[in-house]
Amino acid sequence: MIIKVFAACVVLVSGLLGVTCLKCTTHWFDRDDPSGKGDYENLSDLLKEYPGLICPNPTGIEVQTVSGQPASQTGDIFQVNDATGGFACVNADQNGKQCADYRVRFTCPEMFCSVCRTSWLDRDDPSGRGDDETLSDIHVTYPGKVCSQPIAIEVTTISGTPALQTGNIFHVYDPLQGFACVNEQQTGSSCQDYMVRFTCPQIFCK
């Protein structure tokens, strides 16, 4: 699951319940495969290929295989693995084997996640299946109000309580998918009524 949140913790449901705490973190990016000289996820190339989705001055980098294994556990030797350069694994350095297929995400300064925000949006009520504030539905209900590829999402109840303080379990909490709370997944209660807002690349606000 691709995750990015604005300076908060999110509760994710994907088979098992987990809690992930992130600051201003980008999506996962996988622009190259190791079938050639190796796997190159260089920051300069990623900035060109995904304009506006990565800050030009990241403060941190995370690397894992596309299946989710941390890079440090693969046994591969890395040519580059830092926030300023990105990541590179060269097949010729691997003692006869090929690099794994990697993906990267970056931690950015907090300002990157707060410059271009949408208004708060509330398209659904929890009286039926639950509260669905999915990005696809929001695009239909509020055309032109949200960018096609948000870089962050914030969720509160309509009274302003942060979603993470409600005790609800969330089915979806993802800037590229939006938000969803399903009533039948709650223990002894139902979903509250939520609203969402997204952070978009700065070009969207211009």
Side-chain angles (χ1 to χ4, degrees):
M1 183 176 287
I2 302 171
I3 298 301
K4 177 176 182 298
V5 295
F6 174 71
C9 298
V10 296
V11 179
L12 309 175
V13 176
S14 181
L16 295 175
L17 179 65
V19 179
T20 301
C21 296
L22 302 170
K23 291 188 178 178
C24 180
T25 309
T26 68
H27 309 317
W28 288 104
F29 296 97
D30 174 28
R31 60 159 296 278
D32 193 26
D33 296 320
S35 54
K37 293 182 178 180
D39 196 332
Y40 294 86
E41 308 295 340
N42 299 320
L43 178 60
S44 57
D45 293 331
L46 290 165
L47 288 170
K48 294 175 184 176
E49 198 157 326
Y50 303 98
L53 298 184
I54 306 172
C55 55
N57 55 338
T59 58
I61 186 174
E62 252 184 289
V63 186
Q64 61 178 222
T65 66
V66 292
S67 63
Q69 183 183 24
S72 60
Q73 298 178 9
T74 64
D76 284 346
I77 299 168
F78 309 130
Q79 188 177 86
V80 180
N81 186 6
D82 60 62
T84 56
F87 175 82
C89 180
V90 180
N91 287 334
D93 295 339
Q94 309 311 314
N95 300 316
K97 66 185 183 72
Q98 180 175 280
C99 295
D101 191 4
Y102 292 96
R103 61 184 182 179
V104 299
R105 66 179 175 185
F106 297 90
T107 302
C108 292
E110 187 173 309
M111 182 60 69
F112 180 71
C113 288
S114 60
V115 172
C116 179
R117 286 178 178 162
T118 68
S119 57
W120 287 103
L121 305 170
D122 174 27
R123 61 156 297 278
D124 192 26
D125 296 320
S127 54
R129 173 181 176 270
D131 196 332
D132 288 307
E133 307 293 341
T134 58
L135 183 59
S136 57
D137 289 334
I138 284 174
H139 279 311
V140 173
T141 306
Y142 302 103
K145 298 295 185 182
V146 183
C147 53
S148 60
Q149 286 196 306
I151 57 177
I153 185 174
E154 293 172 85
V155 187
T156 72
T157 65
I158 56 172
S159 63
T161 303
L164 299 172
Q165 297 179 15
T166 64
N168 281 162
I169 296 170
F170 309 133
H171 185 65
V172 176
Y173 195 134
D174 182 337
L176 291 179
Q177 299 182 59
F179 174 82
C181 179
V182 179
N183 285 331
E184 66 180 18
Q185 292 179 345
Q186 312 309 312
T187 303
S189 64
S190 59
C191 297
Q192 296 198 38
D193 193 1
Y194 292 96
M195 58 184 180
V196 299
R197 70 176 175 182
F198 297 87
T199 301
C200 291
Q202 293 184 33
I203 190 67
F204 180 75
C205 288
K206 294 178 181 178

